[in-house]
Amino acid sequence: MIRKVSPHITQNEALLFEMSSPGKKGYQLPDLDVPEVDPGKALGKSAVRDEIEGFPEVSEVEVIRHFTRLSTWNYAIDLGMYPLGSCTMKYNPRINETVARTEGLAWAHPYQPEELSQGAMEVMAVLEAALAEITGMDAVTLQPAAGAHGEFTGILLIRAALEKTGKPRKKILCPDSAHGTNPATAQMVGYEVVNIKSNSLGMVDVATLAAAVDDDVAALMVTNPNTVGVFEQDIAQVAEILHAKGAMLYMDGANMNALVGISRPGDFGVDVMHLNLHKTFSTPHGGGGPGAGAVAMKKHLEPFAPFPRLARTPQDAWTWNYDRPDSIGRVRAFYGNFGVLVRALAYIMAHGGPGLRNATLDAILNANYIRKALEPYYELPYKSPCMHEVVFSDDRQAAKGIKTGDIAKRLIDYGFHPYTVSFPLIVHGALMIEPTETESKREIDLFIDAMKSIAQEVLDDPKMVLDAPHSTRCRRVDEVSAARRPVVRWKPPVQQSRAAD
Amino acid sequence: MIRKVSPHITQNEALLFEMSSPGKKGYQLPDLDVPEVDPGKALGKSAVRDEIEGFPEVSEVEVIRHFTRLSTWNYAIDLGMYPLGSCTMKYNPRINETVARTEGLAWAHPYQPEELSQGAMEVMAVLEAALAEITGMDAVTLQPAAGAHGEFTGILLIRAALEKTGKPRKKILCPDSAHGTNPATAQMVGYEVVNIKSNSLGMVDVATLAAAVDDDVAALMVTNPNTVGVFEQDIAQVAEILHAKGAMLYMDGANMNALVGISRPGDFGVDVMHLNLHKTFSTPHGGGGPGAGAVAMKKHLEPFAPFPRLARTPQDAWTWNYDRPDSIGRVRAFYGNFGVLVRALAYIMAHGGPGLRNATLDAILNANYIRKALEPYYELPYKSPCMHEVVFSDDRQAAKGIKTGDIAKRLIDYGFHPYTVSFPLIVHGALMIEPTETESKREIDLFIDAMKSIAQEVLDDPKMVLDAPHSTRCRRVDEVSAARRPVVRWKPPVQQSRAAD
Amino acid sequence: MRYLPKSTDERNEMLATMGVQSMDDLVAQLPNAARLKRPLDIAPGKSEFEIVDYFRARGNDCATGYASFLGAGVYNHYRPVMTDVIVSRSEFLTSYTPYQAEISQGTLTQIFEFQTMVCQLTGMEVANASMYDGSSAVPEAAMMAVRITGRSKTLVARSLHPEYREVLTTYARHQGMPVEEFGYQPETGRIDIDDLAARIDSDTAAVIVQSPNFFGCVERIQEVAELAHRKGALLVFAFTEAVSLGLLEPPSEADIVAGELQSFAISPSYGGPFAGIIATKEKFIRQIPGRLVGETRDANGNRAFCLTLSTREQHIRREKATSNICTNQALIALMATVYLSVFGKEGLRELAIQNLSKAHYLGDRLLPAFSAPYFNEFVATIPDPAEANRALLGRKIVGGLDLGRFYPELAGHMLLCATEMSKKTDMDTVIDVLGGKS
Amino acid sequence: MRYLPKSTDERNEMLATMGVQSMDDLVAQLPNAARLKRPLDIAPGKSEFEIVDYFRARGNDCATGYASFLGAGVYNHYRPVMTDVIVSRSEFLTSYTPYQAEISQGTLTQIFEFQTMVCQLTGMEVANASMYDGSSAVPEAAMMAVRITGRSKTLVARSLHPEYREVLTTYARHQGMPVEEFGYQPETGRIDIDDLAARIDSDTAAVIVQSPNFFGCVERIQEVAELAHRKGALLVFAFTEAVSLGLLEPPSEADIVAGELQSFAISPSYGGPFAGIIATKEKFIRQIPGRLVGETRDANGNRAFCLTLSTREQHIRREKATSNICTNQALIALMATVYLSVFGKEGLRELAIQNLSKAHYLGDRLLPAFSAPYFNEFVATIPDPAEANRALLGRKIVGGLDLGRFYPELAGHMLLCATEMSKKTDMDTVIDVLGGKS
Ligand SMILES: Cc1ncc(COP(=O)(O)O)c(C=O)c1O
Ligand SMILES: Cc1ncc(COP(=O)(O)O)c(C=O)c1O
């Protein structure tokens, strides 16, 4: 029985372009207080464009209705559990949004004088210190814009340090369970990617690793807990093997929500890592960003960090230090996704040290509770104890012709966002479930019920699952034909097109 | 065919009390910076309460989900057309919300020194002047909290002025088309209510009125345009008849959206009137308030206005004048629903004089366009040209057993909020439709289609209409049994109740 | 214009369908005499940018950056971010009164929760969906008492908020409801129960007492209730500081509770909009004014909510209605509901204790003029309150209320309020300037 | 803690179901060496009130109440209220990347509109859903050009934003992509096309030109495009001031457009988050990095949208992906979409003309150092920019950018920007302080 949702009407809506009519306006500008300049005269006639063909012309009320209606077609954390594994879809506190809009911060121009930017710089400095403490690392750069950007920065740091010793090396090792951004990043830094097979526990196999590490290996990129939700038991030894050969250990910190307050990468041998502030630190995901990918590093990598770096003046004020001869350079303009950084610090302040630890424990509690409840119904490919997420496979259901993707779609009918589908790749037909700490027992119990119920449907009524979702305004979407002949922009219907005149 | 909405899932949700668990918290207070006082000691043991039984204990994430989920069960102007006659459900500009939260205004304490309140007082003064200009009246009080409160104030003014002449008189006349608040108000001011029958055009009948006005009549309360959407053609004569007998003309300004910029009550003989700022002037209705019921009056009533009144000091600053010996007194504490006043002024500033007039014309255009389109399908009881709203009756449909209330419920399935049902009382089975100016042609055409389609369904498939709505999360609600044995608060289930221990 | 979703083409198309020549022809029906023949004397429309600028400037003409120790019916409490988040949801902000239950269950469910929480806080059995504010809830409660008892007279404590008393006078004047005041004890600040006893008689419908009263003093409600009931009158309990309900014994002995919820996340906003409530005993439910939401079932048998007992209201009862009140404070009541959900059982108590502690820190050093226990407000003897307040303004502090304004007998006294927002450093400044012992 | 929706009872119940003794037992799996054995050295949790207070104080430590004439890649434009209203909708703010199309049509539809508007503005045929920012979009565009042409070299204008050039250097370093700069004409401020012609060769994959360039000068794109195409290279058109697209001829001759949308309702926010875009010709669609939304049908045959061509992305292609980009700037792109909807066709043009007019009011009185037409920024010759800016600060004005910081050859020059937000009175002050003719 579906207990969590009921069908209700939602408004249909055309595209903005389709509701446009010449002369409708959603704006008004103040009267010009200076003489109006003729664009043709100021810029030259040929430099001035004609009107923007097809561009929308709508009123303010149509704008608010348009986006409000569209919004009702989305699922969201504020509506319910969002157990996307690896994504840490936790509650996004609204205080984050409030403080990010603080006038002096939201309207700070990156080039305004440093003496008029001390507040913004202080926020960054405090956040850097907090993240260093949380990760057990020596220094942090806040410049990268997201996790993948952080990986890029981190691998650049490793390369720069190795180059400094005279040899950048050639290869980066990635476990076969790694997220796709890891190999893609390694490639962008000019490294060859070598995949390392995980062992039967889903972990890095020490022997396999030892065999793979040679003088050409720059680093191993490991995710810990890894993408099957398991803490790498041999992580200290892994680090030793690498370090012994002059290679480094990069940690993908996407799963840091399992560790904050209970374990620090800096203490188990990691040289450099990124954090996804939009995951672990609750800045909202926003339908796909903005994020921030802080990179934490050991002392030996700090000289290579992107410039500018925060520093203190003799007068004890903050200043930007551009004099960083060994720096890898900039990975983006200005100083980072500052607005996201403000949100992350607000989150850290709200929890405080002890609170952060409790959050981690609750995240682990939730994942293990789900694991326990669903183990009788879904195949658990790795039996190692899990941390903040649990990965099942669709083995049993696939036998009946139902894949993880079908179960995911059916979960929508039960009122939940699906888990992460088909990742990590080492689990065939993976169901990757990460509840996070911000789900109530009530919500989790409903999730478990839904998953059990679907398992039963697979046996009793497989078509119901195969054709899901049934209760959404839009039925299963054909992704295959979208890719076959991509239409990625609206065009005016041919009969109306001016081009056709 | 239903073109405007599609069914989609919406989250179910328990009551807050039902999701409570001891020790869950949605708050944190700063640490006390003074010694904590023992309540028993400070107040006496018996003055201190036990814990509040049954009071909710939930976390912040549950709070936001709770209210967000509930919100998705509501219809709203931001979702679509809301053609509630007499309610002027127009677009509520978001700038109103922004400016009402301006720090110095939102945090102004009503007793803070006048020299630190000049901005707030200026806002009120500017609004008073604008409303006086719009209504053609001499003075305005902003103290009343809503339309009915404004009526109360207005009738008190009339009574005070008449008492001043030595005779308060005994009766208030109300057309039978009047809104229920009119007679209810008259009663609260100690007047007997005499209902006046409207003529066949839906208007005040001059002869009937003349016959009814005697020395005991204090005033006529007229709505203009009246509740059938018709401008009272004889309004000037109506005023004359009253004035000739020493009685006054009160105007219910609920329908002022039909007049702003094109006709001023002060110019056609009205002595006093209220405005619903939450209708005509776009402050949001908020699910039932807050409103503001400014009262505009002619000079001769101004001495009786509620105190305090805004005045200028010799130093040209604003001051509150409490020295108003003839005042009716206060109708509420402080100065009025100030936050609503700010919003109304923002609206007036956005439109400006010319814009306000254009808005009125568009409102009239929309109503007449609908009238024209639906006249073939629904009975039009009054053929007089209409202003900003049109009233049909269910005569033709009632013949098939379908009432206005059923058509209204069916309209929900078509994606619209119903029109006003069964009001005004002089139209049997009324469908009172007020589109306002902020509906696009597209939206109105969809409404017309829906109404036509329902008219057809009444013929083809009456049960479909009778059982509507079909597509909402909650089917037709049983209002009769709700009233029979009213349950107006949640109580803990008996088996869990402490009282049962 | 940005609020008008039509192009000129569209207008013309519509006019053409209707066979009307021009927009101006639409108002041909207006009698010539009623026509405005000139443009309104209001400046042309302004951009958003200018409007924001204008109100910012007006805001800056008011007190910003001051600490304040004003209470007197309007309190500075922290507003959790959540409240504005929720009331800004279009679905709450831009909906009408929930007459159409099938598409208003959000608002209806929330009001049901609101009514429940008001009952839990006040110890009453039923509560309405809100009133304009506390000051108009009090006279509505008196009118209720008159209807219930069939008597006419109201006795009101002089320690009820002075502006509430003024509103009561206005409401009562033409309804054949004489209102009489009774005094307070000059030592304790509590009501003078002997004075009340002397005045109460067989025509007394209601006795109105506020607690904490205007001076911040906590009244002994049981005592008053006994006296009133002995004489067949109803006790109307009024409150202006709702946070006190988190700590003080609820007025369960009262017959009607009428109060103001401004303390629950509603900004002072120069005096409004706030939200009043009326709560009472189940047996009086049909006499309660304003909207009520009740639980019921939908056609599928599922729990649902709807407006109920509308036969009390003016739409149906017209001149025989319990009140003329119609639109009132739904969105503000929603703010309060969110606030109470955020604070919850423990939070409200902790909040109240913080208020108590802050006020007593200040009170202990300024010596209250009255001896009765107080919650977060108290009266201090200050020779020249106006002068003292001027001095405080110089320190960026808005001081207390000069009581001489409302109580000539209390000239030379100041009403001071401290809440969880009052910082010790500011209180120390007040103590310093007002010559308290630190 | 308020973000944790569990009571102790509930935790214990869950542990009991699992047969686990205590919360600490949950992490028994951690190797001893990896365990943190002390509490984090981070202060205990703070209340909302304190957090708001803290950031307010930090905000006050920054420039508030100043007029600013800084541009240089970050512009002060008015943010319509609507943008925050929309991005604050929970359904947009708290959703993930729209992988599950059936419950993400809101975001998907909006991105499709965004892509369309970017195409309309830039004259390109396809656009992606966003990039981190303009500075990282430019190297991604260069990488695209390298993939498309099979060549390796990038020629970049010295008048491209200096920090963008730095980012390009970082990205290019290890990808076998030599980057070479070409100059600008010291009189006009436009690119030195002869220098470009001299450097371009058969290994040149991309020529990168910004317009208006870092000095505010409008480039002659057609000319550069012809040169590049003649040599078989692609033209990458970069922009930092998106408002200019409302007025300037779109760069339809370019092959790839990479730019920054910060001007579209995105607050300066000390440099981010902003939103970059990449747009290009249809034929290059499979080389575009980042997310793309495409139109398709659902099982009922209705129009629907979904993420598409994900075979370009790292989830599937891993080390062979077009880029490693994953999470980027969806919500910021939504802001821009709302902004563009509000302004629309006429508004964007009027806005651009206001910018042009304001900048020319200032420029006409300060005499630009370069002769090329400019949009809303220009370079003025100011003997001692640092000194001049200090003087302006005293008048509550943040002046222009001292160009010597990035261009040693332009010491003694200042880059000044005026937008629709620049008030004439402030401009007059600038003119006065900088010794312009008024
Ligand atoms: C394990 C892992 N690594 C890296 C990333 C990339 O992070 P981002 O999306 O912030 O670039 C993700 C998130 O998608 C991830 O789950
Ligand atoms: C004609 C008429 N008069 C009076 C009122 C009462 O106004 P309010 O609800 O603001 O008290 C209304 C609105 O409901 C109305 O439509």
Side-chain angles (χ1 to χ4, degrees), chain B residues 445-463:
Chain B
D445 284 339
L446 283 166
F447 175 76
I448 290 168
D449 278 359
M451 288 296 290
K452 285 186 193 171
S453 177
I454 296 172
Q456 192 59 44
E457 285 176 342
V458 167
L459 304 175
D460 301 344
D461 188 1
K463 196 163 153 44

Side-chain angles (χ1 to χ4, degrees), chain A residues 85-87 146-149 151 179 181-182 223 227 252 254-255 274 276 278-279 285 291-292 423, chain D residues 96 132 291 315 324-328:
Chain A
S86 206
C87 299
H149 208 212
E151 296 173 28
H179 192 258
T181 49
N182 295 180
T223 307
T227 58
D252 179 329
N255 289 346
H274 77 264
N276 304 64
H278 47 298
K279 296 182 177 179
H285 200 83
F423 178 74
Chain D
Y96 199 74
Y132 299 135
R291 294 187 185 116
H315 296 294
N324 73 341
I325 195 168
C326 187
T327 300
N328 57 86

Side-chain angles (χ1 to χ4, degrees), chain B residues 265-279:
Chain B
D267 297 340
F268 55 69
V270 170
D271 295 284
V272 51
M273 67 179 294
H274 78 262
L275 294 162
N276 304 64
L277 302 189
H278 47 297
K279 297 181 177 180

Side-chain angles (χ1 to χ4, degrees), chain B residues 86-87 146-149 151 179 181-182 223 227 252 254 274 276 278-279 423, chain C residues 96 132 326-327:
Chain B
S86 207
C87 298
H149 208 214
E151 295 173 28
H179 192 258
T181 49
N182 296 182
T223 307
T227 58
D252 180 329
H274 78 262
N276 304 64
H278 47 297
K279 297 181 177 180
F423 177 76
Chain C
Y96 199 73
Y132 298 136
C326 187
T327 300

Side-chain angles (χ1 to χ4, degrees), chain B residues 77-249:
Chain B
I77 267 287
D78 284 358
L79 289 174
M81 181 171 169
Y82 217 121
L84 269 177
S86 207
C87 298
T88 314
M89 289 296 282
K90 61 170 69 176
Y91 168 52
N92 306 134
R94 286 294 183 138
I95 178 85
N96 296 0
E97 299 308 306
T98 303
V99 297
R101 286 168 175 80
T102 304
E103 185 174 348
L105 303 177
W107 286 93
H109 191 289
Y111 292 151
Q112 72 192 22
E114 285 179 354
E115 66 264 33
L116 291 180
S117 307
Q118 290 296 307
M121 295 165 93
E122 171 81 11
V123 165
M124 295 182 75
V126 172
L127 180 62
E128 282 188 3
L131 297 179
E133 166 66 8
I134 287 167
T135 55
M137 310 293 276
D138 302 315
V140 172
T141 173
L142 301 173
Q143 204 175 89
H149 208 214
E151 295 173 28
F152 178 59
T153 307
I155 301 300
L156 280 171
L157 291 177
I158 290 175
R159 182 162 189 131
L162 292 171
E163 276 178 354
K164 188 87 180 176
T165 70
K167 190 167 171 239
R169 304 194 174 197
K170 300 211 179 90
K171 298 183 292 191
I172 294 275
L173 308 181
C174 289
D176 50 6
S177 62
H179 192 258
T181 49
N182 296 182
T185 297
Q187 191 278 335
M188 283 175 68
V189 188
Y191 283 115
E192 182 191 326
V193 176
V194 178
N195 285 302
I196 299 287
K197 220 177 123 43
S198 303
N199 68 15
S200 64
L201 300 168
M203 303 189 202
V204 174
D205 187 74
V206 172
T208 313
L209 178 75
V213 179
D214 60 24
D215 281 1
D216 274 343
V217 169
L220 168 73
M221 293 181 86
V222 75
T223 307
N224 191 24
N226 61 29
T227 58
V228 295
V230 170
F231 192 93
E232 292 284 349
Q233 292 298 316
D234 304 320
I235 190 70
Q237 211 185 326
V238 165
E240 272 164 35
I241 292 169
L242 291 160
H243 291 159
K245 295 273 181 160
M248 289 188 229
L249 179 56

